[in-house]
Structure formats: C-alpha cells, structure tokens
Amino acid sequence: NAGVTQTPKFQVLKTGQSMTLQCAQDMNHNSMYWYRQDPGMGLRLIYYSASEGTTDKGEVPNGYNVSRLNKREFSLRLESAAPSQTSVYFCASSEGPSGRNYGYTFGSGTRLTVV
Amino acid sequence: KQEVTQIPAALSVPEGENLVLNCSFTDSAIYNLQWFRQDPGKGLTSLLLIQSSQREQTSGRLNASLDKSSGRSTLYIAASQPGDSATYLCAANYGGSQGNLIFGKGTKLSVKP
C-alpha cells in the first residue's frame, strides 16, 4: 500500500521561480490537505480539499495555489517562490472532511529551499 | 483559540524505562486525537487514534489515553528502546470541513542504550 505519495522529495528554487508539488493517494479518501512544517511553528494548514471539486484556504494560504485534479491527486503550486517559503511540505488525506473515523495519513514530505 | 501543547519539548531516558508523553488541548470539543511519530527528515507516521468517546487505545508497547474533561492526553511507552527515538506529535481534531487538525509542537524523545 503506497498511501500518500509526494513528489519531489527535495527541491531548491531561486527566488521568483515557480514550481508544483504533487500529491497522490490510493486510499479512496475524499479529503486532502497541504501543510507546511517550520522549526518552532509546528505544522500549519495551507489549503485543503474537503471533497473532489472543492478547495479552500487554511491558516497560511498566501503565495500558494492548489488544484484538486481528481479524487486521487491534489497539487500545490508556488507561483513566485520567496525565501519565506523555505519549509517542509506535507500532503495528507482522510476518508472524510473531518477525519472523524480513521484519522489522517501523511506523505513523506517535500523539503523545499528557496535561495 | 484552539491550542495544543506538548510538554516536555525534549526527553532523554535510558533504555528499558517506561515513559509518558503529555499533550494538553484548550478546547475539549474534539472529535478525536491522533498521535504521530516523526523520524528526522521523514514524514509523520500515525501511531494511535482515540475517538472522543474512547478513554484509551493500545498498540503493542504504546498506550494512549484521553481525558476530554481535563483537556489532556498521554502517550505511554513501555520498556523503551533506542529505536523509539523520534519526535512524537499529538494532534487534536475539531472537525469541520477543513478538518481543523491542531498540532502540538512535539516531544523529541531520545532513548540511550
């Protein structure tokens, strides 16, 4: 079982460059999420998709866009990368919007450095 | 504001010791609480999920308890091993369309041989 797969695992960008982080899950989950993890700040929600066809902002959405391509895939795009976006990005999924019954499953992360 | 606090931030114990990690949350209206393990440079691995109606969950040497009224959860690790060294995160789930999963900042555990 692959679970939640994120690509790439590592990336270095120059300020102003753009890139898309990919995420796919094979658990037939309805809801998907993007978090960032920074030292001393913990994990913070960037965007989420409660179900296929819907997306909405989380706690720290500025500088990011998302696309729920289908039920399996949820991508995060940085249009013009800034050093403040240097972080570890995690994708997660849950069977329902609240993760009520089975909790959340996380991917292994993308380590992004913006120089 | 909904907040989750984990104390201590770091803990070092000798191998074989039993230990308890603490997690407290400010709003008791949780759907469930989930404990994760994170190894350096890796993702989050789910350890235990406790529903709001449950008092505890067990998996192998791990036991997690939940007391909603006091806003506390504990993760008990029996007979600790060096392989248990990692950062342990708790996350309170308040439901809603965005899931509203609020994370603590973690306890970094080091088990010395």
Side-chain angles (χ1 to χ4, degrees):
Chain A
N1 292 334
V4 177
T5 302
Q6 292 184 236
T7 56
K9 294 189 182 302
F10 301 93
Q11 185 72 49
V12 178
L13 288 179
K14 294 182 178 179
T15 298
Q17 286 185 319
S18 63
M19 79 161 295
T20 300
L21 281 64
Q22 306 287 352
C23 175
Q25 52 92 7
D26 62 0
M27 297 169 286
N28 202 35
H29 284 173
N30 290 306
S31 302
M32 298 185 73
Y33 313 85
W34 277 104
Y35 288 86
R36 61 178 288 173
Q37 185 178 37
D38 302 290
M41 301 294 290
L43 281 106
R44 294 178 292 171
L45 183 65
I46 305 171
Y47 269 93
Y48 65 96
S49 171
S51 61
E52 185 179 358
T54 69
T55 62
D56 213 334
K57 297 177 181 178
E59 181 183 356
V60 288
N62 291 343
Y64 306 95
N65 284 299
V66 291
S67 295
R68 183 75 183 265
L69 304 172
N70 47 56
K71 191 172 185 179
R72 291 187 64 247
E73 299 174 285
F74 188 38
S75 63
L76 178 72
R77 183 162 178 82
L78 287 70
E79 291 291 351
S80 179
S84 61
Q85 294 178 304
T86 294
S87 187
V88 182
Y89 291 86
F90 288 103
C91 178
S93 70
S94 66
E95 51 123 18
S98 64
R100 173 178 280 181
N101 292 324
Y102 299 110
Y104 290 67
T105 301
F106 279 78
S108 59
T110 294
R111 282 147 189 80
L112 175 66
T113 301
V114 183
V115 298
Chain B
K1 182 181 177 182
Q2 295 161 336
E3 293 181 345
V4 175
T5 303
Q6 292 186 247
I7 296 174
L11 180 64
S12 182
V13 300
E15 181 177 4
E17 195 163 290
N18 301 325
L19 60 100
V20 174
L21 305 181
N22 296 297
C23 173
S24 61
F25 43 95
T26 55
D27 184 347
S28 62
I30 62 172
Y31 273 10
N32 54 48
L33 187 136
Q34 196 165 358
W35 282 93
F36 295 90
R37 168 184 172 141
Q38 186 174 28
D39 293 287
K42 303 295 184 182
L44 280 69
T45 300
S46 180
L47 297 174
L48 289 164
L49 173 69
I50 312 178
Q51 302 295 343
S52 59
S53 58
Q54 297 175 321
R55 296 285 291 182
E56 64 178 60
Q57 281 285 337
T58 298
S59 176
R61 294 183 293 109
L62 305 179
N63 177 278
S65 69
L66 177 64
D67 184 342
K68 280 184 58 178
S69 62
S70 66
R72 293 185 61 191
S73 177
T74 62
L75 180 66
Y76 174 83
I77 303 177
S80 59
Q81 303 170 358
D84 295 329
S85 298
T87 296
Y88 291 81
L89 297 161
C90 71
N93 184 357
Y94 289 96
S97 60
Q98 79 271 29
N100 208 5
L101 195 66
I102 308 297
F103 280 88
K105 293 181 180 177
T107 294
K108 185 175 182 179
L109 174 65
S110 177
V111 181
K112 305 295 186 183

